[in-house]
Amino acid sequence: MEEGKVSSPGGVFAHLELLEAQASEAAVKQEEKEQQEEKLARLRARVQELRLQRDKLKAKLDLQQKEQLGKEGVVSHPAQPSPRAVLEWKIKSVKSMLQIFYLTGISGKLTKRGVCFCISTAYEGTYLDSYHLDLLTKPEVQISRHSLPTFIPLQQIAKKYLQTDIRRFFTVLADHLNAYVGRRYQADQLQEHFSDQIEGTLQRNSLCNLLVFNYNVSSKSKTFPFHARLLYGDLCCSLPTEVVVSCTPDAPAALAEMAAAHTDLFRHVALHKAFSSFSSIEESLVGAL
């Protein structure tokens, strides 16, 4: 009977701890959402400005076509804009695009043959890596060279967006890169700051979208082992889509309850931050063992 009385408050404490972690995460997400909305408003204003420039250029080209028709009479094929006019339009479009990308961590400079882009990545305000991508603009947009990891699906993204929507191309590419470095950063932080709790080696693939590791929870003279498997099914996300945390089959009910709490934390909180919040959960649940 005494064990039943202790276990129940422990479950309540674990639930309260989980709610506090979720509330903290929600506050962070709300702040990020507000920042994204401000950035989106600036981008929309810039997009509107670019559309006006495009319409003016189109009107200018239409006028040139009409003047050409007036000189030559009715022709079977409408006059095409001159190569110089097309080139000027491409250069103006690229410069405008670079100004927009600068707001999203993507910078670039014009080269003799095209544009050299730099994609800067970060996770939770911590700058991580920069990747470079050279594009040729003549005769059509194509990738010349890059420093992206081989496991980033660059060709797949390029095939889908590069010729039709270059802004979307860079947006998707940046999402992939930021998610990858975010997952890698979390795994590095876990190994660096919680190595005393990790049993053996943290297993991860190159893309860091599959993490497998064993870890221990200790209380006084007792040690309780857990096994975790985190799968990141969405490659544009730094949080896992599938989490499995298990303990030994004959483990007490309190340990199974702790495994469930850890599972939920891994789904919603960065990996190293989840480990930081384990202590309060352990105090409330291990005390029931």
Side-chain angles (χ1 to χ4, degrees), residues 76-174:
S76 57
H77 300 284
Q80 297 296 323
S82 67
R84 181 178 180 81
V86 173
L87 180 59
E88 290 178 351
W89 178 81
K90 282 186 176 181
I91 293 175
K92 182 179 292 186
S93 297
V94 168
K95 288 182 177 179
S96 299
M97 181 179 61
L98 292 178
Q99 293 176 6
I100 293 177
F101 283 155
Y102 181 77
L103 300 175
T104 60
I106 303 174
S107 59
K109 62 180 180 180
L110 295 176
T111 63
K112 292 181 178 180
R113 304 180 62 192
V115 189
C116 177
F117 287 93
C118 176
I119 305 175
S120 299
T121 61
Y123 183 72
E124 294 186 339
T126 300
Y127 169 79
L128 297 175
D129 296 325
S130 291
Y131 301 95
H132 294 84
L133 178 69
D134 284 358
L135 291 184
L136 303 179
T137 56
K138 295 182 292 185
E140 63 178 11
V141 180
Q142 58 182 307
I143 298 171
S144 172
R145 56 184 179 177
H146 65 85
S147 64
L148 277 64
T150 56
F151 44 78
I152 297 296
L154 175 60
Q155 295 303 325
Q156 179 182 346
I157 299 171
K159 183 178 180 180
K160 190 172 183 179
Y161 299 112
L162 187 58
Q163 301 301 328
T164 57
D165 191 344
I166 194 169
R167 288 177 54 198
R168 180 62 177 167
F169 166 76
F170 276 104
T171 298
V172 174
L173 186 57

Side-chain angles (χ1 to χ4, degrees), residues 182-212:
R183 296 190 297 266
R184 187 192 63 191
Y185 177 78
Q186 294 177 59
D188 291 343
Q189 290 292 302
L190 180 63
Q191 289 183 305
E192 180 179 350
H193 298 290
F194 300 95
S195 58
D196 57 329
Q197 291 181 249
I198 302 298
E199 184 71 24
T201 303
L202 184 150
Q203 302 176 41
R204 52 177 165 174
N205 58 355
S206 298
L207 194 52
C208 289
N209 68 323
L210 177 62
L211 304 179
V212 179

Side-chain angles (χ1 to χ4, degrees), residues 32-44:
E32 292 177 349
K33 181 180 178 182
E34 292 175 355
Q35 293 176 353
Q36 289 295 328
E37 288 177 350
E38 293 178 359
K39 182 182 295 183
L40 182 59
R42 293 196 300 268
L43 290 176
R44 284 176 175 170

Side-chain angles (χ1 to χ4, degrees), residues 1-11 222 252-254 284-285 287-289:
M1 294 297 292
E2 290 299 319
E3 291 183 358
K5 292 181 181 179
V6 175
S7 177
S8 178
K222 296 181 180 180
S284 60
L285 291 180
L289 298 175

